Amino acid sequence: MPSRIVCFILFLLLAAIPGSLMAEQNSPPVRILFVTQSKGFVHGSVRRVEELAPAEIALTQLAQQSKEFSIDCTQDCEADFTPENLKNYDIVAFYTSGDLPISEEAMDYFFSEWLREEGHGVLGFHSATDTFHNDKRYWDMIGGTFIHHPWGSGTEVTLTNHEPDNPIMASFGPEHSQQEEIYMYRNWQPEKVRVLMSLDYSKSPTNSPVNTQYGYHVPVCWIKNYGDGKVYVNNLGHREDTWTRQEYLDSILSAIRWIKGDLEVDATPNPELSQAQEAKAKSDFEAGQFRKQK
């Protein structure tokens, strides 16, 4: 009998808890703001109309299926990328282009405070590197600035996974091939990033001239620490069907877990790997049927 009384009292106590508090206790611990605004080229994987596009649908479904995060998609940086609103989120994901309408106050807060906090981080997809070309704070954070893509979206490329045992990269296997548009960069700082995946020139032919002005090595995925925050960047994602590939989604989910602190991943910069990849890429370039961009 006493046990029934205790259970009844507990029931009354639980019933008295406000619904908003119960929802907060059951809400996903990671909150993501997915920015897909374009002020340059508008990719098919992000919205041109009101309906969600493939990238947004993919991450929304991943949130629902994994129950590990919630996500809000925005194409209105002026209204949503503010110091006040950023405080509601743990991660900002960028699939963007051009100079976004973000105030200087918000930019300063984002780089100086928000991103440097433990548990905060950035996910950068494809054209995230084609954003804020002339803002050093941004390209220093994201890792590089787009110059061109000699490997177009219909090109079958082969990528070397430098850390197949890394939980962020395990889904790709030691080598990964698919059709995808692959960028090259300037403002690349190998001493600040840990490269996880690179293009293999020897297995990725192209008929387009290649701009080697800033080097031959083509990094495709990398991570870095930013204060106590974390950054994950993946060039893949131009093609809409990339957002249906399980290996890509698994990598993103693992990156979210890493930013949250649930996965231990070494983000120590590996410039020696970039140096070795630069030498290999140059050798493969010279041995293959590649043309330099004039």
Side-chain angles (χ1 to χ4, degrees), residues 24-35:
E24 181 179 334
Q25 291 175 338
N26 293 326
S27 63
V30 176
R31 297 159 298 176
I32 298 179
L33 179 66
F34 190 12
V35 183

Side-chain angles (χ1 to χ4, degrees), residues 216-228:
Y216 293 83
H217 175 213
V218 182
V220 175
C221 183
W222 59 86
I223 57 175
K224 66 188 297 184
N225 292 320
Y226 194 95
D228 290 326

Side-chain angles (χ1 to χ4, degrees), residues 101-129:
I102 300 175
S103 71
E104 178 56 33
E105 177 191 14
M107 290 285 277
D108 182 65
Y109 171 71
F110 178 71
F111 292 115
S112 300
E113 298 183 46
W114 185 90
L115 184 51
R116 296 181 182 276
E117 294 181 16
E118 185 175 359
H120 284 182
V122 160
L123 302 171
F125 305 120
H126 194 57
S127 60
T129 57

Side-chain angles (χ1 to χ4, degrees), residues 180-198:
E180 187 55 287
E181 181 180 274
I182 302 297
Y183 283 2
M184 296 187 77
Y185 308 97
R186 61 182 174 87
N187 296 323
W188 176 246
Q189 303 174 91
E191 70 279 4
K192 292 186 177 181
V193 303
R194 187 173 190 88
V195 179
L196 303 179
M197 189 158 61
S198 302

Side-chain angles (χ1 to χ4, degrees), residues 7-22:
C7 289
F8 180 68
I9 293 173
L10 287 173
F11 171 78
L12 292 178
L13 289 172
L14 289 171
I17 297 176
S20 60
L21 180 57
M22 290 291 288

